[in-house]
Amino acid sequence: MSTHSATLYLDRIDAIVFDTDGVVTDTAREHAAAWKQTFDAFLLRHAKGTGEQPTVFDAHTDYLRYVDGRPRDEGVRSYLASLGITLPETGGRDSIAALAEEKTQRFAAEINRHGVIAFPSSVDLLRELRQLGVPTAVVSSSRHCRDVLRAANVVDLFSVRVDGFDMERLGIKAKPEPGLFVEAAARLGVPVGRCAIIEDSLTGVEAGRRGAFGVVIGVDRHGDVCGEMYEHGAHVVVSSLADISLVNPPQRGASAPEGTTRTSSASTNANR
């Protein structure tokens, strides 16, 4: 299934909530690299203990399916469960807590090595929303969210931030539960039905569906999880935030169910 372009009708949507990694900032690759380094090292140790051939973490497929959008400890449990491996929560090098902390340290090293870049199309959309007076929030299950946004010079483009520290402090459950997005909408003072979310993870898209948000936009930059995003509840899936256009006010007579329309990428390209 191919991605589409989306039109947001701003008389029906009062605010937009953005996921951070992979939507605003191009840090998904750093997260994926940190997970791969962490899991590959563990799986090599595990294989030596069992005498089996070591499994290798796929930094694209496994990242998207098992760890993307999840808190660190949930990511460890999710991926290892897919391999039938159970570890203790704490105690020793090979525990859930230890692997989660190792991933954090490796991610910090990746950020220090490569820096942080915001997607230009995301920055353009955020600036356009700011000019139109549309409130925006950013969410992340990571405690690095503020540092990542600062490094990418996009902190000032958001009115609200809900991150890993807030999750711990408020007891917010991880995606696919909608708590992160619901909290962001509440801080913006906007009902979830009048709020759009933009997500690049399957768990995040599902969180939008569970939270009954007015519009759920999935971002599939590689073109290989589009169909799954629709299955998880996306109203529309785009390959880039450049494929999102804003209408304010809507054109007379235009029909836009749930605040958004979609067109095929082929027809969109033909009109450019």
Side-chain angles (χ1 to χ4, degrees):
M1 184 179 293
S2 63
T3 57
H4 297 80
S5 56
T7 301
L8 281 175
Y9 289 78
L10 298 180
D11 68 328
R12 306 181 187 188
I13 294 298
D14 296 327
I16 302 180
V17 182
F18 293 73
D19 179 49
T20 304
D21 299 305
V23 173
V24 177
T25 58
D26 190 10
T27 41
R29 60 183 177 182
E30 279 77 20
H31 278 290
W35 278 119
K36 179 170 178 59
Q37 294 162 14
T38 300
F39 282 132
D40 283 358
F42 162 75
L43 291 170
L44 182 59
R45 296 194 300 271
H46 180 76
K48 288 181 178 179
T50 61
E52 300 175 354
Q53 190 70 18
T55 303
V56 176
F57 179 82
D58 188 302
H60 180 59
T61 303
D62 290 335
Y63 174 76
L64 290 175
R65 294 189 184 281
Y66 301 114
V67 302
D68 187 23
R70 302 177 189 267
R72 298 167 304 161
D73 55 349
E74 289 292 335
V76 174
R77 292 191 198 95
S78 175
Y79 175 63
L80 294 184
S82 75
L83 302 177
I85 299 174
T86 302
L87 293 181
E89 291 296 315
T90 60
R93 184 180 184 186
D94 292 337
S95 66
I96 300 295
L99 292 181
E101 180 58 29
E102 181 179 344
K103 185 269 174 180
T104 295
Q105 295 176 4
R106 291 183 183 277
F107 175 71
E110 287 291 315
I111 291 297
N112 289 334
R113 184 179 301 114
H114 300 293
V116 179
I117 299 174
F119 290 105
S121 60
S122 301
V123 174
D124 289 344
L125 179 62
L126 284 161
R127 287 176 175 164
E128 184 178 0
L129 289 167
R130 192 175 187 84
Q131 290 175 352
L132 292 171
V134 179
T136 57
V138 64
V139 302
S140 174
S141 60
S142 173
R143 297 181 180 183
H144 291 283
C145 181
R146 180 178 61 181
D147 295 335
V148 166
L149 295 174
R150 282 181 174 174
N153 296 315
V154 293
V155 172
D156 295 338
L157 295 178
F158 299 98
S159 305
V160 164
R161 183 185 73 252
V162 184
D163 59 20
F165 289 108
D166 294 303
M167 291 182 68
E168 181 177 356
R169 179 173 59 86
L170 300 174
I172 297 173
K173 293 183 178 180
K175 304 170 190 176
E177 295 301 319
L180 268 173
F181 296 109
V182 172
E183 177 66 19
R187 294 186 187 184
L188 289 171
V190 176
V192 294
R194 299 280 302 182
C195 190
I197 71 168
I198 305 178
E199 253 286 357
D200 73 319
S201 71
L202 296 177
T203 55
V205 167
E206 184 174 342
R209 176 185 62 79
R210 291 188 183 187
F213 280 80
V215 179
V216 180
I217 300 177
V219 183
D220 179 16
R221 296 188 184 278
H222 301 285
D224 53 5
V225 292
C226 180
E228 290 180 85
M229 283 189 163
Y230 282 117
E231 292 172 2
H232 279 72
H235 294 119
V236 62
V237 180
V238 298
S239 60
S240 165
L241 270 62
D243 296 328
I244 300 173
S245 58
L246 307 174
V247 176
N248 184 26
Q251 297 173 350
R252 184 178 299 276
S255 176
E258 301 299 330
T260 184
T261 59
R262 75 186 188 195
T263 57
S264 70
S265 56
S267 63
T268 300
N269 290 335
N271 293 329
R272 288 180 178 172

